[in-house]
DNA sequence: CTCCTAGCTAACATGAATGTAGGTACTTCC
DNA sequence: GGAAGTACCTACATTCATGTTAGCTAGGAG
């Protein structure tokens, strides 16, 4: 089994693609990407839209996605603060795939065995 | 913000789709689904193929996917044990989406900012 | 007789992800 | 005057995911 990877390969233990894949599929990262598909949104709009996310986790997840070049942050120097988040071109591509997966889950929930929804 | 959900919606905090989405996008769950796209495979074949997975996590993740109806487990009562894992029709559909995402990450790693790969 | 394989399970240990509570610096609304 | 909104950050606590080690079955290889 290959540890490192010359060509990116998620099956390789040390391949950086793994880290990125985990960011993109993180609990809140996925939902942020999906929410931003509708266009630029402010921090608190995202917070209201993504049910159950804490301020802290929203901030952390947004920073992660920004570092990965998937989300663009634009801050206006006013009081009260005004910050807008937008998908980058790269983020738009990723979001489409994430959304396809999420939508599949939503659309096929009823086909899943009952025990899948418990525990 | 809606806590429960009549229609499945990943933005709703208590919607079961969230749980399933997290299973499917779990660190090892994703890689299992992708690996099984090539067809039926035995436990230890998966273990060798998926770099860095421990026996325990492979077993746990497979059980999770089995409960969710995405993977089918077929055990032969022989010694040494012989167990085969296969994608169900549902699992095949999910795997395609997961793979699309993983492949996108692999193919676009080089477009990501350098700081995305560090940390 | 011992080690090796297969495919697990249980007990225990760690680490990463996530949550909670509080503070910040102002403004507007009541 | 007091509360709420805005977009955070920090310290601390907890929970969950994951890892580590050991053990189990029974046969074949050495």
């Amino acid at each position: 089994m290959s540890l490192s990877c010359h060509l990116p390969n998620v099956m390789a233990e040390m391949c950086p693609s793994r880290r990125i894949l985990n960011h993109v599929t993180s609990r809140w990262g996925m939902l942020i990407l999906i929410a931003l598909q509708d266009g630029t949104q402010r921090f608190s709009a995202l917070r209201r839209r993504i049910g159950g996310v804490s301020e802290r986790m929203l901030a952390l997840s947004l920073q992660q996605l920004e570092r990965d070049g998937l989300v663009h942050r634009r801050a206006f120097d006013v009081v009260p603060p005004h910050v807008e988040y937008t998908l980058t071109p790269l983020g738009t591509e990723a979001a489409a795939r994430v959304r396809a997966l999420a939508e599949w889950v939503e659309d096929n929930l009823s086909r899943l065995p009952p025990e899948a929804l418990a525990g």
Side-chain angles (χ1 to χ4, degrees), chain A:
Chain A
M1 66 209 83
S2 51
L3 292 178
S4 64
C5 61
H6 17 283
L7 281 194
N9 178 335
V10 289
M11 293 301 170
E13 184 169 5
M14 296 304 174
C15 186
S17 60
R18 284 234 182 134
R19 179 196 319 286
I20 306 300
L21 191 56
N22 288 148
H23 293 175
V24 166
T25 60
S26 70
R27 179 167 183 192
W28 304 116
M30 285 192 288
L31 300 180
I32 291 171
L33 290 175
I34 293 171
L36 286 179
Q37 277 200 313
D38 292 349
T40 298
Q41 271 163 86
R42 297 181 60 172
F43 185 88
S44 45
L46 285 170
R47 174 140 162 66
R48 277 185 295 266
R49 173 135 180 219
I50 301 174
V53 71
S54 63
E55 285 196 356
R56 172 179 149 76
M57 284 315 297
L58 182 55
L60 284 180
S61 303
L62 281 167
Q63 285 164 15
Q64 183 99 271
L65 293 174
E66 198 193 350
R67 244 180 292 128
D68 291 349
L70 304 176
V71 163
H72 178 245
R73 177 180 187 272
R74 187 176 173 203
F76 301 85
D77 194 9
V78 292
V79 169
H82 182 115
V83 181
E84 294 179 347
Y85 292 93
T86 316
L87 290 179
T88 63
L90 220 48
T92 306
E93 295 178 30
R97 271 91 180 169
V98 170
R99 179 165 181 203
L101 181 57
E103 240 172 33
W104 179 87
V105 172
E106 290 175 347
D107 293 345
N108 292 279
L109 252 196
S110 58
R111 296 170 65 197
L112 300 186
E115 61 267 30
L117 310 174

